[in-house]
């Protein structure tokens, strides 16, 4: 870490700069601000702003929201749910979230246009300086090629650059700027091609199913190959009720299918929606807004997670679960880990000691999720084979005990210490997977 930061008159100087006010960035800023640090949180858009997502929060994410101290009653705008309903192969299986001490027994749903603003405002109320309409364009580097700040283009209410630029300086910068992470790319950290990717497609529909007490997952998504053959795609469709008259309806497809990249996923979703029962009221007439799509970076697909003063959190570091496409929970957990690491680093008296602590973030994150993500990556390869998908639905879904175990594995909800055989098996599988 360098001490060669500019005088205050040359730009805003802080203890930490966080780029991106999604769940990971806002959590990082909130934890640092709660500890008394001067944090600048830069967001390129102006709230409220949308983010393409399923909007579902498993108990793993709910635990982090509880830790942050957010009010989470239904009167505060949160839709609560009891578990997951799985549909496929002509069967329906309804499973409650696992009953474990490590995680709360409920999930939630909230539209990202609301969720992200709630988290960003919480960071601001905790003491962080939230600046919207700041589109970070470039890193500011010292003579050792270490990041010591960023420049940002100021954006107006319509999302257009005003021509004004601002500079912000800090000894540590956190990139929480999403899947494209321009700041990471500018620092030479490109995506790894050996990690799975997925695409998510979703829209909102007004439907009487908006208050469903279970998240719903549909395992059969069909497309056609260039040769005209029907193919069962690796992924799932979802219906997540927001409790406000709308449901988030979408699908996620892994890149392990031969049809990936050659499929019109929005068309797949339209055709899937057309098969839904009329009483659900999910059709083109009840859709609010457009069908939108986004990439899901998985399994730490951009590394290193820390180097030369820049720390990655959330989608910028590919912190998405390959088993089910969840990213919010891992972004929130990374925000806490990043903040704790930075706090320890800033307390050290020498640059060498501070750098050694910051480097430990890489080891910590890989210890937390490296093995689990690699296990998920292997799972993603397996279900990319249509015959494996068919066998899984035929022989897996009818076995409720097996499916309860798979829910615990795929949602990453084992008892973290002790527990039963299934909890110990999930932890063992995670430890045995390569940690990289």
């Amino acid at each position: 870490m360098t001490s060669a930061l500019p005088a205050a008159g040359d730009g805003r100087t802080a203890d930490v700069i966080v780029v991106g006010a999604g769940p990971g960035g806002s959590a990082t800023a909130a934890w640092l601000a709660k500890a008394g640090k001067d944090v600048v949180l830069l967001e390129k858009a102006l709230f409220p702003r949308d983010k393409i997502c399923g909007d579902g929060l498993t108990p793993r994410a709910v635990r982090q929201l509880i830790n942050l101290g957010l009010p989470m009653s239904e009167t505060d705008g949160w839709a609560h749910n009891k578990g997951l309903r799985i549909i496929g192969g002509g069967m329906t299986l309804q499973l409650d979230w696992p009953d474990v001490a490590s995680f709360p027994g409920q999930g939630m749903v909230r539209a990202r246009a609301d969720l992200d603003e709630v988290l960003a405002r919480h960071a601001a109320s905790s003491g962080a300086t939230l600046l919207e309409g700041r589109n970070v364009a470039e890193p500011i580097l010292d003579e050792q090629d270490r990041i010591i700040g960023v420049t940002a283009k100021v954006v107006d209410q319509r999302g257009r650059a005003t021509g004004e630029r601002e500079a912000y300086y800090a000894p540590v910068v956190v990139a929480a700027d999403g899947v494209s992470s321009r700041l990471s790319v500018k620092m030479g950290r490109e995506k790894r091609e050996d990690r799975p990717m997925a695409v998510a497609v979703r829209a909102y529909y007004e439907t009487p199913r908006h208050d469903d007490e279970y998240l719903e997952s549909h395992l059969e998504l069909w497309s056609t190959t260039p040769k005209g053959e029907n193919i069962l795609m690796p992924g799932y469709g979802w219906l997540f009720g927001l409790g406000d008259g709308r449901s988030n309806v979408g699908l996620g497809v892994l890149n392990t299918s031969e049809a990936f990249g050659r499929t019109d996923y929005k068309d797949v979703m339209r055709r899937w929606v057309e098969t839904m029962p009329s009483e659900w009221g999910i059709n083109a007439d009840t859709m609010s807004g457009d069908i939108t799509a986004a990439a899901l970076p998985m399994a730490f697909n951009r590394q290193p997670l820390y180097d030369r003063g820049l720390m990655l959190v959330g989608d910028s570091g590919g912190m998405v679960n390959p088993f089910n496409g969840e990213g919010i929970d891992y972004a929130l957990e990374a925000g806490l880990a990043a903040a704790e690491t930075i706090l320890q680093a800033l307390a050290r008296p020498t640059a060498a000691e501070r750098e050694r602590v910051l480097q430990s973030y890489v080891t910590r994150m890989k210890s937390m999720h490296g093995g689990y993500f690699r296990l998920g990556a292997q799972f993603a390869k397996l279900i990319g084979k249509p015959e494996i998908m068919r066998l899984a639905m035929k022989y897996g879904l009818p076995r409720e005990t097996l499916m309860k175990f798979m829910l615990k594995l795929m949602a990453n909800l084992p008892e973290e210490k002790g527990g039963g055989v299934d909890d110990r098996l999930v932890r063992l599988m995670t430890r045995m997977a390569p940690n990289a």
Side-chain angles (χ1 to χ4, degrees):
M1 291 167 63
T2 180
S3 59
L5 297 179
D10 297 329
R12 171 66 194 271
T13 302
D15 293 321
V16 184
I17 295 166
V18 180
V19 180
S26 291
T28 306
W31 288 119
L32 288 167
K34 288 173 188 285
K37 295 304 176 184
D38 182 7
V39 187
V40 175
L41 177 59
L42 303 175
E43 166 59 39
K44 68 179 180 181
L46 282 80
F47 289 110
R49 58 106 171 98
D50 198 12
K51 172 72 185 294
I52 299 164
C53 181
D55 299 339
L57 302 167
T58 70
R60 194 172 192 100
V62 175
R63 178 174 70 169
Q64 291 302 314
L65 297 178
I66 292 170
N67 289 340
L68 282 166
L70 288 171
M72 292 183 298
S73 71
E74 292 182 304
T75 56
D76 292 312
W78 305 88
H80 294 191
N81 56 72
K82 297 178 178 179
L84 179 67
R85 183 182 304 115
I86 304 169
I87 298 174
M91 292 191 59
T92 298
L93 183 63
Q94 189 163 284
L95 302 172
D96 288 346
W97 295 119
D99 180 15
V100 296
S102 299
F103 301 97
Q106 67 174 10
M108 296 193 300
V109 181
R110 188 155 188 173
R112 288 292 296 273
D114 296 331
L115 173 67
D116 287 15
E117 183 169 10
V118 167
L119 288 167
R121 302 292 180 217
H122 180 75
S125 68
S126 300
T129 300
L130 170 64
L131 298 174
E132 302 169 55
R134 301 308 196 273
N135 189 358
V136 171
E138 298 284 344
I140 300 172
L141 306 178
D142 66 8
E143 61 275 10
Q144 281 83 42
D145 251 4
R146 181 188 185 87
I147 190 169
I148 57 170
V150 298
T151 58
K153 300 176 183 177
V154 179
V155 176
D156 65 18
Q157 294 283 345
R158 297 184 179 181
R160 299 178 302 190
T162 64
E164 184 181 359
R165 283 178 174 257
E166 297 173 344
Y168 301 89
Y169 297 89
V172 184
V173 178
V174 175
D177 50 346
V179 57
S180 58
S181 192
R182 288 189 298 166
L183 189 58
S184 300
V185 173
K186 292 283 186 178
M187 291 288 289
R189 275 176 251 185
E190 299 288 347
K191 292 181 291 187
R192 292 183 57 158
E193 299 300 327
D194 62 339
R195 301 298 160 95
M197 287 284 292
V199 63
V201 180
R202 71 99 168 99
Y204 293 107
Y205 293 83
E206 296 177 3
T207 168
R209 300 201 63 201
H210 72 96
D211 57 356
D212 194 337
E213 291 185 315
Y214 287 81
L215 301 179
E216 188 164 285
S217 176
H218 292 246
L219 300 187
E220 289 185 275
L221 294 174
W222 292 91
S223 185
T224 55
T225 67
K227 298 178 181 179
E229 301 169 330
N230 288 330
I231 184 171
L232 182 61
M233 304 188 73
Y236 65 95
W238 68 74
L239 282 82
F240 297 165
L242 278 80
D244 62 357
R246 300 177 300 158
S247 284
N248 182 315
V249 181
L251 58 89
V253 180
L254 288 157
N255 67 348
T256 49
S257 165
E258 64 179 73
F260 190 86
R262 301 196 301 269
T263 300
D264 183 344
Y265 299 110
K266 293 182 181 181
D267 182 62
V268 173
M269 180 168 158
R270 290 188 193 97
R271 288 189 281 117
W272 176 49
V273 166
E274 288 173 358
T275 68
M276 293 180 180
S278 59
E279 60 268 24
W280 291 5
I282 298 174
N283 53 59
D285 293 332
T286 61
M287 184 170 66
S288 56
D290 299 321
I291 298 175
T292 52
L296 293 177
M298 296 179 164
F300 294 146
N301 80 328
R302 185 179 276 114
Q303 297 186 27
L305 298 176
Y306 171 81
D307 186 46
R308 292 185 293 139
L310 184 68
M311 188 172 286
L312 309 187
V313 166
D315 284 1
S316 67
M319 298 179 187
V320 174
N321 183 348
F323 281 107
N324 60 11
E326 290 178 85
I328 296 174
D329 39 8
Y330 299 98
L332 292 171
E333 290 178 352
L336 176 58
E340 289 179 343
T341 304
I342 293 168
L343 288 170
Q344 288 298 322
L346 293 179
R348 299 300 195 267
T350 68
E353 288 177 284
R354 294 192 291 268
E355 181 64 16
R356 186 165 63 247
V357 174
L358 290 171
Q359 289 285 353
S360 72
Y361 176 72
V362 176
T363 304
R364 178 172 180 174
M365 291 307 300
K366 289 190 175 183
S367 176
M368 286 171 60
H369 300 309
Y372 179 78
F373 281 173
R374 289 307 297 273
L375 188 65
Q378 294 304 312
F379 173 82
K381 286 183 181 179
L382 278 176
I383 66 170
K385 304 178 187 300
E387 60 274 17
I388 298 293
M389 279 289 287
R390 284 192 289 268
L391 287 171
M393 283 195 296
K394 182 177 180 180
Y395 295 106
L397 278 177
R399 291 163 173 79
E400 185 170 343
T401 300
L402 173 61
M403 293 308 296
K404 286 181 177 179
F405 169 77
M406 289 303 297
L407 176 61
K408 188 170 283 190
L409 172 65
M410 295 177 69
N412 200 7
L413 296 172
E415 197 74 85
E416 293 180 329
K417 292 182 179 179
V421 174
D422 53 350
D423 301 290
R424 294 193 293 272
L425 181 56
V426 171
R427 296 199 301 267
L428 176 63
M429 293 170 67
T430 299
R431 288 197 300 269
M432 290 179 63
N435 186 351

